[in-house]
Amino acid sequence: METILEIKNICKTYQSKEGEILALKDIHFKVKKGEFISIIGPSGCGKSTLLSIISGLEKKTEGEIYIENKKIEGISEQVGYMLQKDCLLEWRNIWSNSILGLELKGRLNEESKKYVESLLKKYNLYDFKDKYPSELSGGMRQRAALIRTLATKPKILLLDEAFSALDYQTRIMVTNDIYGILRKENMTAIIVTHDISEAISMADKVVVLTKRPGKVKDICKINFEMENRNPINVRESLKFSTYFNTLWKELGVDE
Ligand code: ADP
Ligand code: MG
């Protein structure tokens, strides 16, 4: 598989009233096309900072980001971002929410509208296109937010604690749903979470960061050797608890 994203020696220093805060130090890893990478690490270790740097919303202090071997400076069109809040606009119906990203980028045309329509149909939201976000369940809202992001055809999707606002049961179902869609669309994804089980359940690799300043402590390959793997059925695998224990220990060592 070819490398789609390379993160090379990223360092980030924030300026604050108390002086400089070193948030990230020498972050280095590669992501292959179609791969799902989970990032875990203690609170405040720089996970959100790293995603913001990859998307170009935040400036890096040192290092380089390459997407398909091209150095990225500033905001990247190829990167989509999903946050904890679905950020759907309550006064717009599902259709106008779904086309919002395209509208903002000035890319709304007959062809892109057809694409959004096909996504809504494929993922069972087309019948809800005239409804407002408040009329949808939490899970359907997240799916609508995902379709809005996919509509702009990003090459890499970043998810920052995207499911953590949902209650446990819903979270498992939504994770499964979103995972299925992303795999079907052959997306490459970077998933930031503080939940070790969630990280394992979705990832091909888990990147473990140290406490601040965040450095790469380990990259743990996840392979359940299962056909039709999904975030729910992997939890039944014996390997799941082995991975959990390994990562739990790695997170704990420098507490
Ligand atoms: P995480 O997502 O892993 O919890 P963050 O990336 O949000 O961590 O933050 C990493 C560190 O950088 C924290 O110590 C945080 O206080 C600090 N930080 C984040 N954003 C800013 C900012 N805009 N200005 C100053 N410090 C910041
Ligand atoms: Mg964060």
Side-chain angles (χ1 to χ4, degrees):
M1 265 195 298
E2 58 187 295
T3 298
I4 187 165
L5 171 70
E6 184 171 6
I7 294 162
K8 229 173 166 177
N9 304 104
I10 291 294
C11 297
K12 173 69 185 177
T13 310
Y14 284 112
Q15 307 295 337
S16 78
K17 275 185 220 146
E18 288 78 40
E20 292 191 336
I21 298 172
L22 182 58
L24 293 171
K25 193 168 188 294
D26 278 335
I27 301 289
H28 199 117
F29 61 88
K30 289 181 185 175
V31 183
K32 290 182 183 146
K33 204 162 182 222
E35 224 173 17
F36 282 24
I37 305 284
S38 291
I39 300 179
I40 55 172
S43 172
C45 76
K47 303 183 291 298
S48 296
T49 300
L50 181 58
L51 290 196
S52 303
I53 289 174
I54 296 171
S55 72
L57 290 172
E58 187 72 68
K59 282 204 175 101
K60 53 201 183 300
T61 313
E62 275 176 50
E64 284 129 36
I65 307 267
Y66 293 88
I67 295 178
E68 292 180 328
N69 297 318
K70 276 199 209 93
K71 198 162 152 179
I72 299 300
E73 300 289 351
I75 293 181
S76 172
E77 281 277 307
Q78 290 125 302
V79 177
Y81 215 152
M82 272 187 84
L83 301 166
Q84 185 176 333
K85 283 177 66 193
D86 57 45
C87 299
L88 295 175
L89 303 178
E90 300 296 338
W91 60 91
R92 284 184 159 227
N93 65 19
I94 294 306
W95 171 257
S96 8
N97 263 294
S98 304
I99 59 172
L100 182 67
L102 288 166
E103 220 175 274
L104 293 173
K105 288 174 196 276
R107 283 168 43 195
L108 194 61
N109 53 42
E110 283 315 304
E111 194 190 337
S112 59
K113 277 188 200 164
K114 281 227 168 70
Y115 181 59
V116 177
E117 212 175 281
S118 73
L119 286 172
L120 288 170
K121 282 183 181 154
K122 196 165 166 189
Y123 298 116
N124 303 320
L125 275 178
Y126 193 71
D127 292 344
F128 298 86
K129 69 180 189 332
D130 300 323
K131 301 251 185 241
Y132 287 83
S134 62
E135 297 175 276
L136 265 59
S137 67
M140 287 172 94
R141 291 179 63 121
Q142 274 292 5
R143 208 191 298 168
L146 176 63
I147 287 173
R148 180 180 60 190
T149 310
L150 293 178
T152 62
K153 298 195 174 172
K155 289 185 174 153
I156 300 164
L157 192 64
L158 311 176
L159 298 99
D160 194 353
E161 309 267 6
F163 312 114
S164 59
L166 304 165
D167 66 78
Y168 183 73
Q169 211 100 346
T170 314
R171 199 167 89 208
I172 303 268
M173 299 310 290
V174 172
T175 310
N176 208 54
D177 185 47
I178 301 288
Y179 176 92
I181 296 174
L182 295 180
R183 288 286 193 204
K184 243 188 213 153
E185 300 298 321
N186 294 318
M187 280 298 303
T188 304
I190 304 186
I191 302 142
V192 157
T193 171
H194 61 267
D195 181 331
I196 302 176
S197 299
E198 189 174 286
I200 299 166
S201 77
M202 297 184 85
D204 300 307
K205 281 181 195 156
V206 179
V207 175
V208 184
L209 298 184
T210 63
K211 69 178 178 189
R212 205 186 79 207
K215 297 185 283 294
V216 177
K217 183 170 192 175
D218 187 30
I219 298 180
C220 177
K221 280 195 182 148
I222 307 288
N223 185 359
F224 289 104
E225 288 151 10
M226 279 168 81
E227 268 179 53
N228 304 320
R229 146 185 191 182
N230 67 46
I232 294 181
N233 65 20
V234 294
R235 288 170 193 259
E236 288 154 27
S237 157
L238 287 175
K239 281 177 123 183
F240 193 87
S241 53
T242 311
Y243 287 133
F244 186 95
N245 290 333
T246 307
L247 293 168
W248 174 264
K249 280 187 197 132
E250 289 200 20
L251 275 182
V253 171
D254 59 14
E255 284 293 293

